[in-house]
């Protein structure tokens, strides 16, 4: 019995498929979900959602949010979500540099500019982190399935 | 009566204006469809979040929890924030004027100081001309702002609310009723009002990890961000449809004007011909007499 995974972003449904296992970036570390999981709702950190279907892995980056988990479904709500391989590391680096410059620049430190620059910075950093991890993993062996939580 | 050359020039200029307005109508129609699709695409997220928060709140009140989350606590409103979405550009009929006036009326009715957070150039111009206090301005977010662009707006009011610089925050935008009707609405954003009874599946048997209060605390800021994002979507759908309707009216008016001018042109031309003919006939008659 597969788990029906839905990743819903603010502006679209980013991913929808039946998968064998989902690994989520939980607040207290990674959380692996196999079918027949207990019904819980939990918060997610910005990071990576990893799914496996018939031996094939897919990685997505989410900006944090929460997951509603049940025996046959996982629904993730996150402001933003995208496929890890769609991330252009160079562009993300560029965005990070620009954001850092704006934060360092004392002339543009109205609170709005700061808020905008900070959110750009956090976002670009999360994307870089995941994109690098995906690239590294691709060079290594793909890992085995993560153990689900004991109390699940 | 203007001569034929002047009328011809007029017709030419009105025709080129008509070409521009009809192009703008087509562009606005295309953008409106895109904006409406974006509204639809944002529904699944909004519905889920609303259901979940509704469930959390009703569960908390059922268990008699004494702690209300700070974002839901109602305080004496001493200072008020008003986020107002307006288009950056004009040429969209009465939309800008209606929005700004509704917001101003609302602000004056409060009886407490209101600071404005203006999203969109037109509303910002309106309030700065009137010397109102502008807390923050977000201009030129584009026709289709994404959640990344709107989240700083939510962040600012959340910070101000938590620091108790603002005790209540409202959000104003043009609600898209249909292509012909856009209604300015002003809703309360903070403190968060629990969503009305959610229908559909009951979430009863879910456990919250680590606990309901923590999950609610994580969701409420997202709920605010979601509402700001949705307001921006509604507002841009309204803007495009208002522009489409205004430009269609302008195109029609230009067509009528061209018809009227053409009639006038033909009359003037005929008059000239008649005059010339009369001159000719008169001349011939004079020659024959001689």
């Amino acid at each position: 019995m597969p788990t029906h995974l839905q990743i819903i972003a603010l502006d679209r449904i980013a991913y929808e498929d039946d998968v064998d296992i989902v690994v989520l970036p939980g607040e207290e570390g990674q959380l692996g979900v196999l079918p027949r999981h207990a019904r819980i709702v939990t918060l997610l950190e910005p990071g990576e959602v990893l799914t496996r279907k018939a031996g094939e892995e897919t990685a997505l980056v989410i900006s944090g949010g929460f997951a509603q988990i049940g025996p046959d479904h996982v629904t993730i709500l996150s402001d933003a979500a995208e496929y890890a391989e769609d991330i252009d590391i160079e562009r993300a680096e560029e965005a990070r540099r620009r954001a850092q410059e704006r934060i360092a620049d004392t002339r543009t430190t109205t609170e709005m500019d700061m808020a905008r620059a900070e959110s750009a910075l956090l976002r670009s950093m999360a994307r870089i982190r995941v994109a690098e991890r995906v690239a590294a993993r691709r060079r290594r062996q793909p890992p085995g399935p993560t153990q689900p939580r004991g109390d699940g | 009566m203007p001569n034929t050359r002047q009328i011809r020039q007029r017709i030419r200029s009105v025709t080129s204006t008509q070409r521009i307005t009809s192009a703008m109508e087509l562009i606005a129609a295309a953008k409106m469809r895109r904006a409406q699709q974006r509204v639809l695409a944002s529904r699944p997220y909004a519905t889920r979040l609303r259901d979940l928060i509704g469930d959390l709140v009703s569960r908390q009140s059922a268990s008699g929890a004494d702690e209300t989350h700070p974002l839901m606590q109602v305080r004496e409103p001493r200072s008020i924030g008003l986020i107002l979405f307006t288009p950056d550009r004009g040429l969209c009929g009465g939309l800008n004027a209606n929005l700004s006036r509704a917001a101003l009326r609302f602000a004056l009715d409060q009886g407490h100081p209101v600071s404005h957070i203006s999203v969109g150039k037109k509303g910002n111009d309106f309030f700065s001309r009137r010397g109102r206090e502008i807390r923050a301005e977000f201009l030129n977010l584009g026709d289709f702002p994404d959640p990344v662009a709107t989240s700083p707006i939510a962040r600012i009011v959340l910070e101000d609310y938590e620091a108790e610089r603002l005790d209540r925050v409202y959000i104003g935008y043009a609600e898209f009723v249909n292509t012909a009707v856009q209604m300015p609405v002003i809703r309360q954003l903070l403190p968060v009002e629990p969503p009305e009874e959610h229908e559909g599946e009951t979430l009863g048997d879910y456990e919250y990890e680590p606990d309901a209060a923590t999950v609610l605390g994580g969701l409420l800021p997202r709920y605010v961000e979601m509402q700001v994002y949705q307001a921006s979507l509604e507002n841009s759908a309204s803007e495009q449809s208002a522009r489409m309707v205004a430009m269609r009216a302008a195109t029609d008016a230009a067509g009528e004007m061209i018809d009227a001018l053409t009639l006038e042109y033909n009359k003037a031309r005929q008059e000239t011909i008649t005059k010339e003919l009369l001159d000719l006939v008169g001349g011939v008659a004079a020659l024959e007499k001689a």
Side-chain angles (χ1 to χ4, degrees):
Chain A
M1 187 179 66
T3 293
H4 187 71
L5 172 65
Q6 249 189 334
I7 301 182
I8 304 176
L10 244 180
D11 51 356
R12 72 209 161 95
I13 294 180
Y15 183 92
E16 180 159 22
D17 204 354
D18 289 330
V19 299
D20 300 326
I21 180 171
V22 194
V23 182
L24 306 170
E27 296 251 282
E28 290 146 24
Q30 293 213 314
L31 170 62
V33 181
L34 287 164
R36 281 195 278 276
H37 196 284
R39 291 173 179 272
I40 61 165
V41 172
T42 188
L43 294 172
L44 301 178
E45 293 275 293
E48 177 187 23
V49 174
L50 202 64
T51 73
R52 177 178 293 184
K53 184 192 184 175
E56 194 132 329
E57 279 188 13
T58 313
L60 288 101
V61 189
I62 61 166
S63 62
F66 65 93
Q68 193 177 336
I69 301 169
D72 57 353
H73 67 268
V74 173
T75 307
I76 297 174
L77 263 78
S78 164
D79 312 344
E82 61 187 323
Y83 284 95
E85 62 251 35
D86 290 348
I87 296 175
D88 183 339
I89 292 194
E90 270 167 45
R91 257 190 51 204
E93 292 273 12
E94 171 73 34
R96 177 171 70 174
R97 229 192 11 258
R98 262 201 320 261
Q100 277 167 339
E101 273 167 21
R102 251 177 299 155
I103 290 171
D105 190 346
T106 45
R107 281 169 303 161
T108 60
T109 40
T110 66
E111 276 169 81
M112 276 177 291
D113 288 332
M114 273 310 247
R116 231 173 296 183
E118 272 167 18
S119 80
L121 181 63
L122 287 179
R123 195 171 130 87
S124 63
M125 275 163 52
R127 299 173 75 211
I128 292 167
R129 214 167 44 231
V130 174
E132 277 171 353
R133 233 183 357 232
V134 168
R137 185 174 318 116
R138 216 159 274 150
R139 286 193 292 272
R140 287 198 328 265
Q141 281 277 72
T146 317
Q147 283 302 307
R149 266 194 204 178
D151 59 356
Chain B
M1 175 147 241
N3 64 31
T4 51
R5 215 165 62 91
Q6 281 169 324
I7 300 176
R8 229 178 16 235
Q9 258 168 13
R10 242 358 259 296
I11 293 181
R12 217 177 295 141
S13 107
V14 176
T15 311
S16 68
T17 305
Q18 188 186 32
R19 238 176 254 144
I20 294 169
T21 56
S22 84
M24 284 181 75
E25 182 195 333
L26 290 178
I27 294 169
K31 285 187 175 169
M32 181 186 80
R33 269 194 297 277
R34 204 172 141 199
Q36 280 173 303
Q37 275 162 8
R38 285 162 58 90
V39 173
L40 288 183
S42 75
R43 291 255 163 89
Y45 186 95
T47 322
R48 295 267 178 170
L49 195 51
R50 225 173 259 134
D51 282 355
L52 209 59
I53 288 180
D55 183 62
L56 276 161
V57 170
S58 59
R59 194 182 286 211
Q60 274 200 319
S61 56
S63 71
D66 36 273
E67 290 266 298
T68 343
H69 190 273
L71 290 180
M72 299 184 87
Q73 263 164 23
V74 180
R75 297 198 294 256
E76 178 70 22
R78 267 182 290 268
S79 71
I80 293 167
L82 174 59
I83 305 175
L84 180 68
F85 280 86
T86 57
D88 280 314
R89 276 168 292 175
L91 292 180
C92 47
L95 188 70
N96 277 313
N98 290 343
L99 270 170
S100 302
R101 252 187 287 123
L104 184 63
R105 203 177 318 124
F106 178 83
L108 294 176
D109 281 350
Q110 291 307 305
H112 295 282
V114 174
S115 53
H116 295 269
I117 295 105
S118 40
V119 188
K121 199 161 163 300
K122 288 289 168 178
N124 192 51
D125 291 351
F126 180 87
F127 287 118
S128 51
R129 262 202 311 275
R130 274 163 186 73
R132 314 270 318 165
E133 192 208 325
I134 294 181
R135 169 77 178 86
E137 53 186 54
F138 295 86
L139 310 179
N140 297 317
L141 290 186
D143 287 328
F144 307 108
D146 60 7
V148 181
T150 58
S151 83
I153 304 168
R155 190 101 40 85
I156 276 202
V157 292
L158 283 169
E159 270 173 26
D160 279 3
Y161 186 81
E162 277 165 358
E164 305 201 5
R165 281 190 294 267
L166 294 176
D167 300 310
R168 195 160 287 185
V169 179
Y170 294 91
I171 184 166
Y173 57 95
E175 191 171 59
F176 180 87
V177 181
N178 58 43
T179 321
V181 181
Q182 301 87 34
M183 233 193 3
V185 292
I186 292 167
R187 300 229 150 92
Q188 182 175 320
L189 189 66
L190 286 167
V192 173
E193 290 177 317
E196 283 149 40
E197 272 315 299
H198 53 283
E199 60 289 352
E201 56 171 325
T202 43
L203 301 160
D205 45 354
Y206 281 91
E207 288 295 317
Y208 289 96
E209 274 197 19
D211 56 77
T214 313
V215 174
L216 185 63
L219 296 193
L220 284 177
R222 282 171 208 284
Y223 186 59
V224 173
E225 282 190 25
M226 182 272 285
Q227 284 177 301
V228 172
Y229 176 63
Q230 286 219 312
S232 91
L233 292 182
E234 285 280 339
N235 202 63
S236 73
S238 295
E239 175 189 350
Q240 299 304 338
S241 64
R243 180 164 299 126
M244 186 184 82
V245 171
M247 289 301 111
R248 183 179 300 156
T251 307
D252 292 348
E256 276 164 31
M257 196 181 249
I258 291 170
D259 289 347
L261 283 169
T262 311
L263 188 68
E264 203 179 317
Y265 170 75
N266 286 338
K267 268 189 201 154
R269 193 176 55 118
Q270 208 159 14
E271 223 161 87
T272 331
I273 294 170
T274 316
K275 244 188 247 158
E276 277 170 13
L277 224 56
L278 275 178
D279 280 353
L280 216 63
V281 172
V284 171
L287 279 175
E288 274 175 359
K289 260 189 200 155

